[in-house]
Amino acid sequence: MSSFVNGNNRIKWLLQTISLVVLGEFAFYGIFRCPFSIPFVSCESCPVIQCPGRKLFLVLWIVILGSAVISGRVFCGYSCPVGTVSEILGKLVVIKRKRRDKVKYKKFFFYGKYIFLIASFLIIIVFNNPRWAIPIRIGDFFNSIKLTIEHANSLWIVRTIFIAGAIGTSLFLSRIWCRYLCPAGGMLEIIKGFSIFKYFMTSDCNNCNECSKVCTMETRPSELNCTNCGECKDVCPVNAIRFGMKFNA
Amino acid sequence: MNDINRRNFLKKSGALLTGSLAVPSFLNGADYRGETLQVWSCGGLAEAFIPANLYFEGITKSSINYSGAFAAALGKSLLGNARTEVFAPRVLGLSKKLKAQGKLLSFVPLCYTKYVLITPKGNKSGITTIDDLAKPGIKVVLSPNASPPGGGATLAIMKKAGVLEKAKANAIHKGDCVQRDVNLIINGEGDAAIVEKRITCLPSVKGKVESFDIPEEYIPAKPVPFVIGIMKWVKNRDLADNFIKFITSEKGQSYFTKSGFISAISDEGKRLTEKYGVRDE
């Protein structure tokens, strides 16, 4: 398993590409066409006929939660289409690298994804995930987005601008959505504490932080926001990064 | 050729013959290769339009660019700056408004909806009439915040039947999405709900609930009729005319009947056309 997960960029990008093809459309529908306040969870009875989530969502959530138990936020690192898009955006702009270390207020944003996770659960459980937009059940690509926006309420507009905007900021701040705002990421971060396999730092670590410099999540192995992507493994100058069962950490 | 093969041969030939006869004659030789027709309809009709469009596309080699959504929303867009070539809305008043604006050139009756009382399979509560919604202890599922045909209309039916207040008091759920709320009936959490018959024909619901007719006098007129018409932005009038002719033909209407609607060309449909005055005047 280690050889499969450890720092092999080609495998990571291959899986991300496959995932983008398979799940990208679902992610797109969730953000721009889903009539519910919290997307990706009320798919079974959603009136939007075209959305692939109607068939995918249950299996997908089982895979996401199952993978989290096995290896923490591995879905974020290898399969999440939003994560992949954020990562691509992050790689496009050089300015991100220059700003990375100047980002202040990290602690302020630290609780963001947990706040959004709690808010999402409240909206789903207490308010039964209300509809904030009129479902365009079927239609062509641009027209459907236009009609959805035209007939959505202001909460839906705010939600959608916020999500799209946060993903877009990856051009300037690496994966800000994934690190600070994604409620699913927050949930996986909690499960990660109990996961079986993970990257971790051995006692040889000299805190040079070379690993966090190559990490798109700007973290270190097994620390907050680590997705077990393994990109950092080969840059460690003292070879202190390992992959294995958490008991080894 | 042995008996079995002969039977298979006859069966296949029969199927082919039936298939070819099912093609409406006016579509024989119709070839609209490369032509696209933009069709908008009330979202509730999507389950019928999707296979009907596919059939039409297959026969005519045309391409139907179809959108289905809440008709009032589409209507609002069309009353504004939006454009489409064929429009199939619910609510006669909307068609008349669009016609008065000169945007809808002409329309014909398309189909009619019907409201039914549904219960979980097995109907343990013994519900058979709308009056039962007022009985103490009956767990009623309401969707008052759903779009009007699913929300407001069902409340209007209960009001006319004189059971609204008691049904509201019995409500265990007041949702905003009929397709989601109907799951409460399927899984037995609720005892009864009022929905359009088309909902009981959805793949996720079909065969999972029991349904009972509601007297027609309780059903408000507004959400019942659907029409289909040509908009002023039509590019290929001949294609649009043939599309509407197909949709309102026996073959086209079969998709709507299968999806839980009353065909406009059936005897019942013709009666409803008269009753609701669905005429392009």
Side-chain angles (χ1 to χ4, degrees):
Chain A
M1 181 145 185
S2 177
S3 61
F4 175 74
V5 186
N6 76 23
N8 189 334
N9 280 354
R10 263 183 254 168
I11 291 177
K12 179 175 176 284
W13 281 105
L14 177 70
L15 287 174
Q16 283 181 306
T17 306
I18 292 169
S19 202
L20 199 59
V21 171
V22 177
L23 302 177
E25 193 186 6
F26 182 25
F28 169 83
Y29 271 85
I31 298 169
F32 296 106
R33 295 271 305 269
C34 179
F36 296 109
S37 45
I38 309 297
F40 308 120
V41 288
S42 297
C43 310
E44 196 181 29
S45 49
C46 179
V48 180
I49 297 172
Q50 283 175 307
C51 179
R54 283 155 62 105
K55 287 177 185 162
L56 279 176
F57 96 107
L58 201 58
V59 173
L60 184 62
W61 275 112
I62 291 169
V63 169
I64 291 172
L65 296 175
S67 68
V69 172
I70 295 168
S71 191
R73 290 183 68 176
V74 69
F75 177 79
C76 305
Y78 284 81
S79 301
C80 177
V82 175
T84 304
V85 169
S86 300
E87 202 172 329
I88 293 167
L89 289 177
K91 285 184 189 295
L92 284 178
V93 177
V94 183
I95 195 167
K96 180 207 66 172
R97 298 281 173 199
K98 289 175 184 168
R99 285 192 178 188
R100 175 179 281 173
D101 296 325
K102 293 180 185 173
V103 177
K104 293 175 183 174
Y105 312 116
K106 272 187 177 180
K107 284 184 181 172
F108 177 78
F109 291 113
F110 174 81
Y111 296 104
K113 53 182 175 290
Y114 302 113
I115 292 168
F116 283 115
L117 176 65
I118 293 166
S120 300
F121 270 116
L122 282 177
I123 291 172
I124 292 165
I125 295 163
V126 180
F127 301 104
N128 196 30
N129 202 10
R131 248 169 49 176
W132 285 349
I134 287 167
I136 306 303
R137 301 197 67 204
I138 179 168
D140 62 285
F141 192 81
F142 292 112
N143 227 356
S144 300
I145 297 174
K146 199 175 151 224
L147 286 167
T148 305
I149 293 168
E150 198 179 329
H151 299 289
N153 72 20
S154 45
L155 286 170
W156 189 93
I157 301 285
V158 169
R159 177 207 86 174
T160 304
I161 290 174
F162 178 74
I163 297 173
I167 296 167
T169 53
S170 295
L171 279 167
F172 308 101
L173 295 166
S174 185
R175 297 183 75 167
I176 195 164
W177 170 259
C178 310
R179 288 191 291 154
Y180 299 121
L181 304 169
C182 177
M187 184 168 62
L188 299 185
E189 193 72 46
I190 294 167
I191 299 172
K192 191 174 96 176
F194 310 97
S195 64
I196 303 166
F197 298 101
K198 63 170 71 168
Y199 276 96
F200 59 90
M201 293 172 287
T202 65
S203 55
D204 295 333
C205 173
N206 60 5
N207 287 319
C208 68
N209 284 331
E210 284 301 313
C211 49
S212 74
K213 286 178 190 165
V214 296
C215 178
T216 56
M217 296 289 273
E218 297 187 12
T219 189
R220 306 195 307 173
S222 81
E223 290 185 355
L224 183 77
N225 284 331
C226 173
T227 63
N228 288 324
C229 72
E231 284 206 359
C232 57
K233 190 175 183 296
D234 297 331
V235 301
C236 181
V238 291
N239 200 21
I241 297 172
R242 296 272 188 279
F243 181 83
M245 291 178 82
K246 66 175 179 178
F247 318 111
N248 298 336
Chain B
M1 190 183 278
N2 62 32
D3 253 354
I4 294 169
N5 284 342
R6 193 179 303 126
R7 203 175 302 140
N8 275 345
F9 171 75
L10 290 171
K11 212 169 158 184
K12 281 177 186 170
S13 311
L16 278 172
L17 191 63
T18 313
S20 66
L21 285 175
V23 179
S25 56
F26 58 88
L27 289 182
N28 282 335
D31 192 338
Y32 297 104
R33 219 173 289 256
E35 297 281 344
T36 298
L37 182 68
Q38 189 176 40
V39 178
W40 284 12
S41 90
C42 168
L45 300 171
E47 276 77 14
F49 263 111
I50 292 168
N53 292 347
L54 276 174
Y55 183 89
F56 184 80
E57 285 173 330
I59 298 290
T60 63
K61 319 280 186 302
S62 64
S63 170
I64 304 297
N65 184 353
Y66 174 65
S67 292
F70 179 38
L74 294 181
K76 198 175 159 191
S77 296
L78 289 168
L79 288 166
N81 296 320
R83 292 172 173 206
T84 189
E85 294 177 89
V86 169
F87 187 38
R90 189 200 286 265
V91 180
L92 198 53
L94 174 59
S95 320
K96 289 184 173 170
K97 241 185 222 175
L98 286 166
K99 189 133 193 240
Q101 280 195 1
K103 291 178 174 173
L104 183 63
L105 301 178
S106 61
F107 65 85
V108 291
L110 170 61
C111 62
Y112 298 89
T113 195
K114 185 179 176 177
Y115 286 85
V116 291
L117 184 66
I118 58 164
T119 71
K121 206 83 182 146
N123 189 16
K124 282 181 188 164
S125 302
I127 291 161
T128 51
T129 72
I130 192 166
D131 296 334
D132 293 334
L133 296 181
K135 284 183 181 170
I138 295 296
K139 290 175 275 180
V140 177
V141 173
L142 298 176
S143 307
N145 303 316
S147 51
T154 58
L155 298 182
I157 291 168
M158 291 180 207
K159 195 176 176 185
K160 267 194 172 178
V163 299
L164 181 61
E165 292 313 315
K166 285 182 178 169
K168 270 184 176 174
N170 280 341
I172 57 149
H173 176 80
K174 292 177 181 174
D176 60 4
C177 179
V178 178
Q179 287 198 36
R180 191 172 52 179
D181 299 341
V182 80
N183 286 328
L184 296 172
I185 300 295
I186 292 172
N187 66 26
E189 280 183 62
D191 293 326
I194 292 176
V195 297
E196 283 181 81
K197 191 186 171 193
R198 70 175 183 88
I199 297 289
T200 68
C201 296
L202 294 172
S204 57
V205 182
K206 200 172 182 177
K208 295 175 184 168
V209 295
E210 295 195 13
S211 68
F212 303 90
D213 282 347
I214 292 172
E216 201 174 291
E217 68 258 29
Y218 297 150
I219 295 171
K222 213 173 165 184
V224 175
F226 294 83
V227 300
I228 185 165
I230 293 179
M231 305 295 285
K232 73 171 183 179
W233 300 284
V234 66
K235 290 182 204 100
N236 185 333
R237 180 69 192 244
D238 189 51
L239 170 60
D241 280 337
N242 267 338
F243 178 74
I244 292 177
K245 212 169 162 188
F246 163 69
I247 289 294
T248 53
S249 72
E250 208 169 314
K251 176 71 184 166
Q253 290 282 288
S254 67
Y255 296 103
F256 292 82
T257 308
K258 204 177 162 192
S259 299
F261 297 97
I262 299 164
S263 159
I265 58 170
S266 66
D267 289 343
E268 177 66 352
K270 284 174 188 162
R271 182 185 71 78
L272 292 171
T273 297
E274 284 307 309
K275 178 181 173 177
Y276 294 113
V278 187
R279 278 180 224 97
D280 181 11
E281 295 166 328

